[in-house]
Amino acid sequence: MKNIGIGLFAILALAFSSCSKDFLDEELTTQYSTQYFETSEGLQALTVSLYGNIRWHFGSEWSYGTTLYGTDEFTNANDLTNEMWNTYDNRLGPAGATIATGAANANATLPSDLWDEMYYGIASCNTIIANADKIDDLKIRNRCLAHAYFLRGFNYYKLTAQYGGVPLQTKPAVGVVRNFTRATDEQAWEQSISDLRNAYKLFEGEVYTYGKGITWTKATAAHFLAKALLFRVSERNDAWNSKYKETDLQEAIDACSYAITARGALTNNYSDLYANWTGIDCPNEQLNEILMAAGHNGDPTTVGRFGNRTYNYFTPQFSSFSGGWVKRGVWIGGMDFQRCRPTEYSYAVYDHINDARMWKTFKTVYGANTVVTASAGVKIGDPAIVMILNTQNDNTYDNAKFGATIQNPTWKDQAGRLPEWTTGKRQTATAGALTAVKGQFVPNSLVLYQKGTYVAPTFKNQPICNFFAGINKTDDGSRTAEKADAHRDVIIARLAETYLVRAECYVRLQKYGLAMQDINVVRARAQWKNGENRSFYSDGSQAFKNNALNTGTAATNYTASNLDMNTYYLSNPTVPVTTAASDLRLTSFPASLPSEDEAILSKIGAASEYDRALNFILNEYTRELLGEWQRWETLSRTGTLIKRAKAFNAEATNITAHKHELRPIPQSFIDGLLNDDGSNLSDSQKAQWQNPGY
């Protein structure tokens, strides 16, 4: 059930609701009176409950709709639940879309969803800040204040990044308040930055305060303080931000430097961040690189209002287009809801040969876990879906036939042709070896390019492509049922981004040599290490090995489906089998950049030294952070959303400058506002509340 437009009107609601036991291992409580939140015990319990507010971001369709759709990285596949957030059509309006107004289903994200939930969290923070002097122990008081200032600053960051200036409520409301003043963008950013500065001062360093899990620390506050400062001085705010630029950039650099020094080196293997997730509370969830995560576990009593649903959104519809060869279940870590389809840019931005992140992120092989027809010659555990991620200048597969089969007795495709696999190569899981199997039939196969043309979207259109290589950052084989909540934490911030934020600050100060040093730290981790098997693949499906459901047929399905291989050598057919290290580090910046970046910069017309440097960093954000819930805000902040979406997202047909850099203010909120005398707002007053173009 959606909370329609009541977030700011009922700003005390969360403060008076239950504080659930969660991943912080706190005791379960039920419901409290307002007086309880004026006691030391109540304020500490309310502080712990703040961690629950960030779970909301990953509890439903809004997780990708507001952060990934309508950008250069992701577009919609055949599922159209949040299509309007990607196409920017007239259903993306202040009232939001319902089935009656053209939404595909009742799950469409509304502009009020984020608005309401952020103000609920702010309400709790206001209560803690206003009553903190009730906590006699100064250390505990400061700890509670640090958490409250951090979440309030974080929530105002999210609100201002999406909507621009918003109402600023910094004290507990008395009763239902229905008259507000909308802050300017400048005032809203000052509030977020002020709160994050306070949190940064009050946190005790890298002290983990509330049980296991990645809890908020001084480095967490430093990271988001730097991001808020960077947002204030970025292009979207150029009409008024000139007086802040030099001081904000230096403060952001200093904050990043604290986080980098405090947390130490990046995790050595990129796979350990996502692909090597082995189960609930595994060591990979405790990595020093992780600065902030929404915590989850396997205890059903701790789920609260929002579980982790993110495993649904990045996987292609393999059970449909595979003709039945690959059936879905808990043994495959992602449900095939085909929400987020990578754009051509999201494949082309990588160095396909030397960047290990690409092959540790994209899932390109599924094994057959059922035999549809014995005459096809495919056995359980043979490759049933193979996705070759080649480059535009590769002509190896120009005359090969690819596509998805349909299930019928004669095994003919929709054009009446027998499907065939004609590359003459089948990849095994053994150290990059290739076994020649002439005529080996793979029921479903895809290639990105033939004869220099991007052909991937032409396979299995219904009417939009649902056949693509998805990413594995949310896969979870620990689920207790096919559609049950995931149990893994969702990373919100990590140290690699901190390096790139600092690099961007250096770019804005034209200190390109220092920027290159930070970029190279991230790229050095991304390159292949000596001895690595480039054709090996893993993801969170492996948690199924420790799942109680891993018995009988399910165990067979796991082994058959997850072949621990990728298509590295099929996608790079001129590369000999090797376990040598690669090198991604830049030697010149920004005058000379890798060829994949030069092609992208050419397409968007980034020619000046600054534009080349900034857009390279935007590319590097993609390579490092693909799918990590922030791309729309990054592009809106840097004034590149319109240009990059038009260049790389074929479905973002209605995106409009001077409108879609901001989201619509929820109409339900505006309609509920009153003047000071209790009268309703006039139509002209309501129009003044709304963002331009809506």
Side-chain angles (χ1 to χ4, degrees), residues 307-475:
N308 179 358
R309 308 297 293 177
T310 60
Y311 69 95
N312 290 308
Y313 303 135
F314 296 106
T315 304
Q317 200 175 33
F318 60 83
S319 65
S320 172
F321 62 66
S322 70
W325 291 97
V326 184
K327 57 185 177 184
R328 67 189 188 188
V330 290
W331 50 83
I332 299 179
M335 279 286 285
D336 58 348
F337 282 9
Q338 49 146 349
R339 298 296 200 266
C340 296
R341 175 167 60 98
T343 62
E344 179 184 7
Y345 160 84
S346 287
Y347 302 121
V349 73
Y350 291 93
D351 178 332
H352 287 216
I353 295 174
N354 297 306
D355 197 329
R357 291 173 296 193
M358 180 174 194
W359 303 102
K360 294 177 178 180
T361 298
F362 286 101
K363 185 180 181 74
T364 57
V365 177
Y366 292 79
N369 55 29
T370 185
V371 172
V372 177
T373 176
S375 62
V378 179
K379 304 183 296 298
I380 295 293
D382 280 351
I385 302 172
V386 172
M387 303 179 186
I388 297 175
L389 309 184
N390 64 338
T391 57
Q392 189 172 21
N393 60 1
D394 172 47
N395 301 114
T396 305
Y397 305 105
D398 284 358
N399 298 312
K401 296 179 182 178
F402 295 92
T405 63
I406 58 173
Q407 187 173 357
N408 62 49
T410 60
W411 281 99
K412 292 181 179 179
D413 65 18
Q414 291 172 330
R417 299 167 300 193
L418 288 172
E420 56 184 319
W421 172 254
T422 60
T423 66
K425 295 178 179 178
R426 172 186 168 191
Q427 191 151 10
T428 75
T430 307
L434 297 175
T435 302
V437 183
K438 187 64 177 176
Q440 170 72 30
F441 170 61
V442 176
N444 307 269
S445 54
L446 170 147
V447 67
L448 295 184
Y449 293 96
Q450 290 182 305
K451 299 179 181 179
T453 299
Y454 183 60
V455 295
T458 66
F459 303 122
K460 202 65 174 178
N461 294 340
Q462 297 185 345
I464 300 171
C465 180
N466 64 353
F467 190 2
F468 53 86
I471 68 171
N472 64 10
K473 293 182 175 181
T474 60
D475 285 355

Side-chain angles (χ1 to χ4, degrees), residues 31 101 124 135 144 242 343 472 488 495-496 647:
Q31 193 167 16
T101 59
S124 289
I135 304 173
C144 291
S242 59
T343 62
N472 64 10
R488 66 184 295 174
L495 202 59

Side-chain angles (χ1 to χ4, degrees), residues 102-340:
N105 55 58
N107 295 322
T109 299
L110 303 179
S112 58
D113 289 335
L114 176 70
W115 180 278
D116 291 351
E117 196 63 28
M118 294 303 92
Y119 279 114
Y120 284 136
I122 287 167
S124 289
C125 297
N126 289 341
T127 298
I128 294 166
I129 293 168
N131 294 284
D133 59 358
K134 305 288 181 23
I135 304 173
D136 293 331
D137 188 310
L138 183 60
K139 186 174 183 179
I140 295 175
R141 180 195 303 172
N142 286 343
R143 187 174 295 168
C144 291
L145 280 170
H147 280 75
Y149 277 121
F150 173 75
L151 184 68
R152 192 171 75 178
F154 176 81
N155 282 10
Y156 275 126
Y157 175 98
K158 294 292 293 186
L159 285 165
T160 312
Q162 291 273 331
Y163 303 98
V166 295
L168 300 177
Q169 184 73 15
T170 58
K171 295 180 181 179
V174 178
V176 177
V177 180
R178 294 180 63 182
N179 56 328
F180 292 95
T181 300
R182 182 178 179 182
T184 65
D185 288 18
E186 184 174 6
Q187 291 167 335
W189 281 118
E190 179 57 36
Q191 182 64 55
S192 175
I193 289 167
S194 175
D195 284 342
L196 292 169
R197 280 176 178 150
N198 284 333
Y200 181 53
K201 293 174 183 176
L202 288 165
F203 273 120
E204 306 161 54
E206 302 316 288
V207 178
Y208 299 90
T209 53
Y210 292 115
K212 60 188 175 182
I214 299 299
T215 56
W216 308 336
T217 70
K218 192 178 186 73
T220 314
H223 176 87
F224 282 99
L225 172 59
K227 290 189 66 172
L229 290 162
L230 180 57
F231 209 127
R232 180 160 70 177
V233 299
S234 291
E235 284 76 1
R236 198 176 89 179
N237 297 321
D238 273 351
W240 53 264
N241 65 12
S242 59
K243 66 182 179 181
Y244 298 103
K245 288 197 173 184
E246 187 172 347
T247 55
D248 277 10
L249 289 171
Q250 188 56 57
E251 185 180 358
I253 288 169
D254 292 343
C256 288
S257 297
Y258 170 79
I260 289 167
T261 301
R263 287 300 180 93
L266 298 182
T267 299
N268 183 57
N269 185 357
Y270 189 80
S271 288
D272 287 341
L273 292 164
Y274 300 103
N276 291 339
W277 189 76
T278 57
I280 300 167
D281 294 332
C282 67
N284 293 39
E285 292 191 341
Q286 320 303 322
L287 297 171
N288 280 343
E289 182 173 339
I290 302 173
L291 299 172
M292 184 179 181
H296 297 272
N297 62 27
D299 185 347
T301 67
T302 71
V303 173
R305 294 170 63 206
F306 301 107
N308 179 358
R309 308 297 293 177
T310 60
Y311 69 95
N312 290 308
Y313 303 135
F314 296 106
T315 304
Q317 200 175 33
F318 60 83
S319 65
S320 172
F321 62 66
S322 70
W325 291 97
V326 184
K327 57 185 177 184
R328 67 189 188 188
V330 290
W331 50 83
I332 299 179
M335 279 286 285
D336 58 348
F337 282 9
Q338 49 146 349
R339 298 296 200 266
C340 296

